Structure formats: C-alpha cells, structure tokens
Amino acid sequence: MWPFLYFSDDRLSTAELTAARLDGDLVEIGDAFMPADAVETRELRAATFLTLAGTQRAVTHASAAWVHGAIPEPPLIHSLQRAGLRRASFPVDARIRFRDVALPPDDVMRISGVAVTTPVRTLVDVVRDAVSGAAPASLVDAVLAWRPDLLDAAVDWLDLAGPVHHKRAAAAELRRRQEEVTR
C-alpha cells in the first residue's frame, strides 16, 4: 500500500505490528504504524486515511487539521465528507462522523491520493464547530498558531460562501480575532 505505513493485516498481522511497536521499531500514526526513525509528514498522516476515506470521501475538520500538521494528535472521531458529485457509500464506523454533502472542488486538495480540505476550508470548518459548541476553541487557536495567515482568507471564504451552518457566528468570531491581531 504505502511503503512507510503498515496497516493491520496488510503486510503484517496486528500481533506482529504490536510486537514491533513494543520493540521500538514502529510507532503509531493514526490508524497505522510507521518506522520509528521515519519523519512524520502530512503525506504519511494523509495516507493513514487511504482505507477509511477511499476515493469518494475527503478528510475534514479536526482530522484535516491533524493531516496538515496544525494539531499534534489525531482526533478520536474522524470527520469525512463527500468529495465528489456522486454519492459515496456511508462508512459504518463509530470512529467516523460522515457528512453526505458534496464539498466544492476548490475546497479539496489531494495529499498522498487522499482528498483533504484545504487549510482555509479546514479553519472555516473548525471555527464553525467551535461556535456551535461541537469543538473546543483551542482547536481554532491551534490552527491559527500553525498558519496565522489563514485568518483573512477564512473571513473572505465565509463572505463569498453560500449558506453554511453557523456562518454568521463563525464570521463574527473570525472578525473578532482579526481585531485582536490589529490591536
């Protein structure tokens, strides 16, 4: 599958992967394992979603923030959303929150063959989650600490976007943060 990633029962069994982790040869990365001496990159983080996301679903929200490197650990529940015009099968997995609303193509990029929301769209999504109470505000802080330049682009995205959940509250929160930066 991916040369630096090991998935359970792909090349090695779960027992073999666990033993290699205990020996210090492998470390966990998302739902996979990688060599302990490999550098964790966004390409490796994205590739851990190859089996979960497939070709029809995109990694979004906090999961996308982790792929991009804005947060150090993956969320417990991953967020996926339809990445194409055709309806995708619904992944039945307690670790996945799936939205069957198509993402605009401009909001998606491919990393290691996996569709992931762009950094701007990821910030917009985590702000919308934070203002609705579905995610902590610290997640927004982490994304903005990673890339402060996304703030203006996220405000512009919301201004130009059609109807999306929590648009007004998210825009107000982003504008408040813009004012804090200019002070």
Side-chain angles (χ1 to χ4, degrees):
M1 182 160 271
W2 188 266
F4 292 111
L5 286 182
Y6 299 92
F7 294 89
S8 290
D9 298 324
D10 181 28
R11 290 179 275 178
L12 299 170
S13 70
T14 303
E16 291 170 314
L17 290 171
T18 303
R21 185 189 69 202
L22 291 172
D23 289 343
D25 296 329
L26 298 177
V27 294
E28 292 175 293
I29 177 172
D31 291 338
F33 296 86
M34 68 180 208
D37 60 349
V39 176
E40 184 177 323
T41 63
R42 74 180 189 151
E43 287 76 20
L44 284 175
R45 288 187 296 267
T48 65
F49 286 98
L50 284 168
T51 55
L52 276 177
T55 59
Q56 297 296 315
R57 295 179 285 273
V59 179
T60 64
H61 296 73
S63 301
W66 175 68
V67 167
H68 288 301
I71 58 175
E73 297 294 325
L76 294 176
I77 298 177
H78 291 298
S79 296
L80 301 177
Q81 189 167 338
R82 185 164 31 118
L85 297 176
R86 292 184 18 220
R87 292 185 87 97
S89 61
F90 183 82
V92 180
D93 192 323
R95 303 168 303 150
I96 298 174
R97 182 175 70 176
F98 179 68
R99 291 175 184 81
D100 196 15
V101 177
L103 282 164
D106 290 344
D107 290 345
V108 177
M109 60 192 298
R110 293 254 173 214
I111 304 172
S112 299
V114 175
V116 180
T117 52
T118 62
V120 171
R121 177 61 190 255
T122 300
L123 174 58
V124 168
D125 288 342
V126 298
V127 169
R128 289 173 40 229
D129 274 357
V131 298
S132 72
S138 61
L139 183 55
V140 177
D141 297 336
V143 174
L144 286 173
W146 168 65
R147 292 264 315 265
D149 61 303
L150 295 176
L151 186 57
D152 294 335
V155 170
D156 292 342
W157 189 97
L158 281 168
D159 287 343
L160 297 173
V164 292
H165 291 294
H166 310 291
K167 178 179 179 176
R168 287 186 190 130
E173 174 62 18
L174 289 172
R175 285 192 176 89
R176 183 189 66 75
R177 288 174 181 264
Q178 276 181 321
E179 288 175 13
E180 285 179 2
V181 170
T182 58
R183 285 185 204 161

